[in-house]
Amino acid sequence: AVSTPEVARIHELPIELEAPYIAEMARLAAEQQLGSEQALTGGYSVYTSVDSSLQLAANNSLRQTLVDYEERHGYRGPEAHVEIDADGGDEAALRMLRGLSASGGLLPALVTQVSAEQAELLLQDGSQGTLAFAEAQWARHHVSPDERGPAPKTLSEVLKPGDVIRVRALADGKWRLAQIPSVQGALVALDPENGGIRALVGGFSFGRSKFNRATQSERNPGSSFKPFVYSAAFEKGFTPASIVNDAPIVFEIPGVEKAWRPQNDNETFSGPIRLREAMVRSKNLVSIRVLDAIGVSYAREYIQRFGFDPKRLPENLSIALGTASAPPLTMARGYAVFANGGYRVKPYFIKKIVDPKGTVIFEESPVVAGKDAEQAIDPRNAFIMTTMLRDVVRAGTAAKAMALGRGDLAGKTGTTNDSVDAWFAGFNQSLVGVAWVGFDQPKSLGERETGGGVALPIWINYMKTALKGVPEIPLKPPGGVVSATVSGDGEGLVDTGAVSDWFYSEFPPRRFVDPLTGNEGGRSKQDEEVRQQLF
């Protein structure tokens, strides 16, 4: 009996798609709908809105970016070290390796021999492998997020026999040294027309951490929150051509000894600047001045239209710098309002639940933009904001996204103080995606790690697959907006340095020339009175 081969196995459906965070969300939702016992034993089928190809792209893009981050910041050493039997006793080593689980495509391996140029590996399945020095040269000693040791000159400086390490397979069949990331990330993508979640990854490895950072985390979005403040300002009479002074500002806070002196990220100032350019260059001081002009109370009330929890919105000017707290899914819902023309949709991921007899006992009826979804903001506002966020991609902090070769991409990077949180929220008219990177216990990612450097690559690699073959849809202005050419001060008639921009028809510049007709126009007395009342 002992010598009889074991052929017993668990009889269950094989996993066809790796989407554990969504699967857990579906399990919890099914338990709420059916009750715990029925959900787990009743033989029900749950169908989700997730697209399998998009989910695979999300998995791969998040993991690759986090692995790349780890390589930039150095090697923390082997996971463990064991004494190797000089007689080659592989059985004990294999039992130890089989006790470890693969994590995000990173496989455990035991170093059996090391020379200057290569190491011999014992893999979990009992096979042998070779690790070349070229695939481990990144492994400078990790000191801190901003400091690494010297580059190794030989592989034996990095590894020694008995080290338990992680490796990942490359496309050419070679192995590369890896380590399980200490940093975390999340990515969520949804359809802006109806809120259907197309892909969601809540962390590097569900097996190591069940915490879903895409839905459960509450992190500061930094500058990726600024579009909501600008959107509020446009309802108060500001325009993309409005001039605001990008200069030092000091706020004396009653009861607080030290005054608040906010800064731009690079601690430089541009002086008077148009709002469009301020968005492209992510000017903090401009955002604060705009918020101060329209009022914090009004802005908080307005921003709730995008689906944000009022309890997570600070009641002070710091909200202009993204000190609100929100998970990536909430940010995606907010950006969907810009993408779909101003409608607030409700994210969903369960399409239907079917009982063992094939009867549909639950089916989602999503609200659809332009039909039954609530109009959250003026369509003109959504249009103008989209043109500004497209400029951020074309020439601003998200210019790397132009590598996708598309003209319909819009979005905003976000980096909080000391680079604790890094974000990118981006979209076109068919898909919204939000990526976040940070540590679970908040600390600096490193002074050079920004939203554009560490979060944007996740989004780019994902969208490369998600938008393949998707045609670009021309962005058409809605009724009630006018295009006008204005001078350097954003208000007067055409002169040197004039630019064209979009305006609400009731808030045109004081004097302008319509670029389509060549006719001169301007604000009427009634328009001016309305403008004054709003301010």
Side-chain angles (χ1 to χ4, degrees):
V2 170
S3 64
T4 301
E6 284 190 18
V7 294
R9 62 181 177 83
I10 297 175
H11 290 267
E12 60 184 5
L13 291 173
I15 295 176
E16 297 178 359
L17 172 68
E18 186 181 359
Y21 289 98
I22 277 283
E24 176 65 3
M25 290 166 63
R27 182 188 70 82
L28 292 172
E31 288 189 4
Q32 292 174 358
Q33 183 81 15
L34 305 168
S36 297
E37 184 175 350
Q38 275 292 96
L40 298 179
T41 63
Y44 292 86
S45 298
V46 180
Y47 295 82
T48 75
S49 59
V50 169
D51 181 297
S52 60
S53 62
L54 301 191
Q55 182 64 41
L56 288 173
N59 294 344
N60 294 335
S61 61
L62 178 73
R63 289 171 177 171
Q64 185 60 57
T65 300
L66 297 187
V67 166
D68 290 344
Y69 172 91
E70 289 290 313
E71 292 193 2
R72 288 197 300 273
H73 291 270
Y75 188 53
R76 296 188 301 275
E79 289 187 21
H81 184 80
V82 296
E83 293 301 324
I84 296 180
D85 189 341
D87 297 327
D90 288 347
E91 284 304 316
L94 278 174
R95 283 196 299 271
M96 181 273 300
L97 285 176
R98 286 168 180 161
L100 302 175
S101 58
S103 180
L106 307 185
L107 307 179
L110 177 69
V111 179
T112 56
Q113 296 180 41
V114 183
S115 67
E117 292 299 322
Q118 68 178 36
E120 300 301 322
L121 307 175
L122 175 64
L123 301 175
Q124 197 174 36
D125 62 0
S127 63
Q128 306 288 329
T130 300
L131 175 68
F133 179 44
E135 303 301 341
Q137 283 183 306
W138 64 267
R140 298 167 62 178
H141 175 62
H142 171 83
V143 179
S144 73
D146 293 312
E147 184 180 356
R148 294 179 297 168
K153 295 182 174 58
T154 64
L155 190 55
S156 55
E157 293 179 40
V158 179
L159 303 175
K160 56 183 180 292
D163 282 349
V164 179
I165 62 172
R166 294 280 169 165
V167 293
R168 62 186 177 96
L170 301 179
D172 58 6
K174 295 180 180 179
W175 295 102
R176 186 170 179 84
L177 179 65
Q179 62 186 356
I180 295 175
S182 58
V183 69
Q184 280 292 351
L187 175 64
V188 60
L190 57 82
D191 184 336
E193 290 301 307
N194 59 25
I197 294 175
R198 296 292 177 251
L200 184 146
V201 189
F204 182 79
S205 169
F206 184 79
R208 298 183 70 87
S209 172
K210 308 297 187 291
F211 182 65
N212 190 338
R213 295 154 192 85
T215 62
Q216 296 177 300
S217 63
E218 294 285 347
R219 306 296 290 239
N220 299 145
S223 292
S224 64
F225 198 78
K226 288 176 182 174
F228 305 114
V229 176
Y230 277 56
S231 177
F234 290 159
E235 296 303 313
K236 281 289 192 179
F238 278 92
T239 76
S242 295
I243 302 296
V244 177
N245 195 15
D246 177 35
I249 188 171
V250 178
F251 292 96
E252 300 291 343
I253 305 173
V256 178
E257 182 177 346
K258 189 175 181 181
W260 183 41
R261 301 172 184 271
Q263 294 284 336
N264 289 323
D265 289 341
N266 55 10
E267 298 187 3
T268 62
F269 312 100
S270 301
I273 187 174
R274 292 187 183 92
L275 284 190
R276 182 176 290 275
E277 185 178 357
M279 173 66 78
V280 170
R281 297 168 63 183
S282 198
K283 292 290 188 177
N284 290 341
L285 298 179
V286 171
S287 300
I288 292 171
R289 280 191 162 90
V290 167
L291 178 58
D292 194 31
I294 65 176
V296 173
S297 295
Y298 164 75
R300 289 183 72 252
E301 182 178 353
Y302 179 89
I303 290 169
Q304 291 173 44
R305 301 181 188 182
F306 294 88
F308 289 98
D309 183 350
K311 296 178 182 178
R312 301 289 187 265
L313 301 175
E315 299 183 37
N316 55 59
L317 291 172
S318 73
I319 195 174
L321 305 182
T323 57
S325 56
L329 180 58
T330 299
M331 289 292 289
R333 184 188 190 188
Y335 270 77
V337 176
F338 297 135
N340 66 28
Y343 297 93
R344 182 170 66 241
V345 294
K346 180 183 178 182
Y348 75 94
F349 59 93
I350 292 183
K351 295 174 68 175
K352 63 181 179 179
I353 299 177
V354 180
D355 71 13
K357 296 180 180 180
T359 303
V360 177
I361 64 168
F362 169 80
E363 189 164 14
E364 183 66 57
S365 298
V367 296
V368 179
K371 294 182 179 180
D372 50 355
E374 182 181 355
Q375 185 83 52
I377 66 172
D378 193 316
R380 300 174 300 172
N381 191 307
F383 167 77
I384 292 174
M385 284 303 310
T386 298
T387 67
M388 295 176 70
L389 293 172
R390 284 190 174 190
D391 283 351
V392 174
V393 171
R394 290 189 184 111
T397 55
K400 289 179 181 178
M402 290 303 293
L404 294 174
R406 299 181 66 101
D408 62 343
L409 304 178
K412 186 70 184 74
T413 56
T415 311
T416 60
N417 285 348
D418 299 321
S419 296
V420 171
D421 294 281
W423 294 77
F424 182 73
F427 62 92
N428 71 355
Q429 289 171 284
S430 63
L431 193 63
V432 176
V434 174
W436 166 84
V437 175
F439 290 97
D440 283 341
Q441 297 299 320
K443 65 178 181 178
S444 176
L445 290 163
E447 62 181 11
R448 295 183 181 87
E449 301 291 356
T450 63
V454 69
L456 179 57
I458 299 174
W459 189 89
I460 292 173
N461 290 332
Y462 170 74
M463 287 295 185
K464 189 181 300 181
T465 297
L467 297 180
K468 186 176 182 179
V470 177
E472 295 187 26
I473 302 174
L475 184 62
K476 297 180 180 180
V481 295
V482 295
S483 176
T485 302
V486 298
S487 65
D489 66 359
E491 290 287 352
L493 193 62
V494 176
D495 65 4
T496 304
V499 296
S500 292
D501 220 315
W502 295 97
F503 305 84
Y504 283 17
S505 58
E506 65 266 34
F507 295 140
R510 185 174 295 113
R511 298 176 65 207
F512 67 90
V513 168
D514 187 326
L516 299 178
T517 65
N519 296 329
E520 183 177 335
R523 290 201 294 264
S524 66
K525 181 179 180 181
Q526 183 179 8
D527 290 336
E528 195 66 40
E529 290 174 353
V530 171
R531 188 182 177 90
Q532 292 299 325
Q533 289 174 4
L534 286 170
F535 276 103

